[in-house]
Amino acid sequence: MSTAPIRVLSLIPPMTQLNTPYPSTAYLTGFLRKHGFDAVQEDLALGLVLKLFSRAGLEQVRDVVAKQAVGERTALTHGFVEHFELYASTIDPVIAFLQGRDSTLAHRICSRRFLPEGPRFDALDVYVDPNDPDGGDPLAWAFGALGSYDRARHLATLYLNDVADVVREAIDPRFEFVRYAESLAMAQPTFEPLAQALAAPRNLVDDTLHALTLAAIERHQPSLVLLSVPFPGAMYAALRIAQSIKAAHPEIAIGLGGGFANTELRELKEPRLFDYVDYVTLDSGERPLLALLDHLAGQRGRGRLVRTFVREPMADGGAVRYINFPEPDVPFEDWGAPTWDGLPLDQYLSLLDMLNPMHRLWSDGRWNKLTVAHGCYWKKCSFCDVTLDYISRYETASAKTLVDRIEAIIAETGQTGFHFVDEAAPPKMLRALAEELLARNVAISWWGNIRFEKSFTPELCQLLADSGCIAISGGLEVASDRLLKLMKKGVSVDQVARVTHGFAEAGILVHAYLMYGFPTQTVQDTVDALEYVRQLFEAGCIQSGFFHRFVCTVHSPVGQNPDEYGVTLLPLPEITFAKNDVGFIDPTGVDHTVLGEALNKALYNFMHGIAVDEDVRRWFASKVPRSTVPRQFVQRALAAR
């Protein structure tokens, strides 16, 4: 084994998000530096977008489209070529504007005569008042006369999405800003779809990523590259990165970890994955990484790796082996502060894709992401992966330690916005954190995820607001007391109403995670749930929400004890790669796909203040029963407080 110093390069692969760095590499880099290692990081997801969405990048896209026969072009790609000079002359200024480097461009963008407007701009028609003979200003309700900067960012986001659609239609049908090639990895029982995609000739997107990868390797000269794959939509690009490194620098070790591996690769048997990477680690990466670095330095044998998959030598059969030498995890208190050193914080794009003050936070602004506690203090919800480490192992750090980290991050980045990315931030810790922030006069703006439990009293909500809390998200799931009890959610609908109202009264925006299709959910349950949600919007308790379709996973209580929830699991195929989702038969036989369309349509309108006071049956395409929820249920719940 080499005794040369090991340099570790952590990479964020496409795609995660464009407005702020995904925090995994920041945590690992900060942790490694704390332990004296030479660690650096890069965001290749942002790098890919900035290369493609530039004048030179669009010229390359145009050249690809130009090689297509005219009859093979779609209306979108034809329009792109026809108006190419307009796209080419505006793309760099728009990127600079979205990066916050040229705010005065807002006036020209708002004129609606500066940007080429493709199909994405058709969505603006929904805001036009049909009773206005002149059509009116479709965005006046959202931005008024003076909100030109936000108005321009919304128009610029539509423009950017139009260009992304061109890339998807002309270059790579899997391209997305978030869920890039997600279907190749998510719950795929075999590696074959990924193997075929990786064996195919590189397209323009792949070539761009290939060049960025080799440039990063040349800059940093690492001994070990870590690929953080938080979602299935980052796996394909991560392996393209690994493929490029292996071809040019086979001596570099490559490790892969992150949320996707932690959730879906726990029973990995596929040896072909190790043609691209050398190690796959599970769960919190701190302890496995320290063990791996010791191994690469020749200070421990391979049999003493921690939570790590490897491939045996081909002479020994080349089978996948899981090694987990028993060592305690690094305590959360000892992780240290994440560092964003090396990431171009001034180049991220603040997008405004939805005109809702709460919903915009996910894509708008450069947030320092930080964890208040590891795991979930509740860990009972039956739809959740409560058996996995990122949920089941609950650890906290002191409020003093957390504020120390906050101050270190502010000193490094110069930015005071924080997104606490906990599964559910504990109210006791949030109270202590708020008191520490106020005692030390640390001024920040923060938001995060919680459970809508009764501990969040109006007094605590106000304390959190005083400490800088601007928004809260939490799970209401299926707004039905029967189903909430079956889910072991530990809350009731009237309790959620009172808690969310307390936040709203303190001036804190509230987002509700909602669910449909849970086992035994009937059409009546669905209609009633939507009525509860309508009343919460009407009462000002929540300002934003999102309906997720329930997915049964093998790590959840439903997946492990289906009889308790009245469903029968479908048999899984032989699995050598990703294992997570499992199909099931619900005896209610409800068509949740059709109902989901109505729920999402209703919610989209509620978030824009449309039809909040009308009968919820209007949103369903077919006849559904009248809601059994009293029209004043939420108001009475609030009055009872």
Side-chain angles (χ1 to χ4, degrees), residues 559-612:
Q560 298 189 347
N561 303 289
D563 292 345
E564 294 182 16
Y565 302 90
V567 297
T568 303
L569 300 185
L570 298 175
L572 289 169
E574 180 182 357
I575 293 175
T576 57
F577 186 56
K579 182 179 181 182
N580 191 47
D581 302 359
V582 54
F584 63 94
I585 298 173
D586 188 334
T588 57
V590 174
D591 187 347
H592 293 293
T593 300
V594 172
L595 294 178
E597 294 174 359
L599 295 174
N600 284 303
K601 185 177 181 180
L603 196 63
Y604 181 85
N605 281 275
F606 292 166
M607 285 194 291
H608 294 92
I610 299 172
V612 178

Side-chain angles (χ1 to χ4, degrees), residues 504-586:
E505 286 288 284
I508 297 171
L509 298 170
V510 181
H511 174 90
Y513 290 110
L514 301 160
M515 183 184 295
Y516 67 99
F518 193 75
T520 72
Q521 183 176 355
T522 65
V523 174
Q524 184 68 66
D525 289 328
T526 304
V527 174
D528 288 350
L530 186 57
E531 172 60 17
Y532 283 128
V533 171
R534 183 199 67 78
Q535 290 189 29
L536 290 171
F537 272 99
E538 185 178 42
C541 296
I542 61 177
Q543 290 73 47
S544 174
F546 188 83
F547 268 109
H548 302 257
R549 173 74 179 265
F550 168 75
V551 175
C552 182
T553 71
V554 295
H555 310 295
S556 69
V558 176
Q560 298 189 347
N561 303 289
D563 292 345
E564 294 182 16
Y565 302 90
V567 297
T568 303
L569 300 185
L570 298 175
L572 289 169
E574 180 182 357
I575 293 175
T576 57
F577 186 56
K579 182 179 181 182
N580 191 47
D581 302 359
V582 54
F584 63 94
I585 298 173
D586 188 334

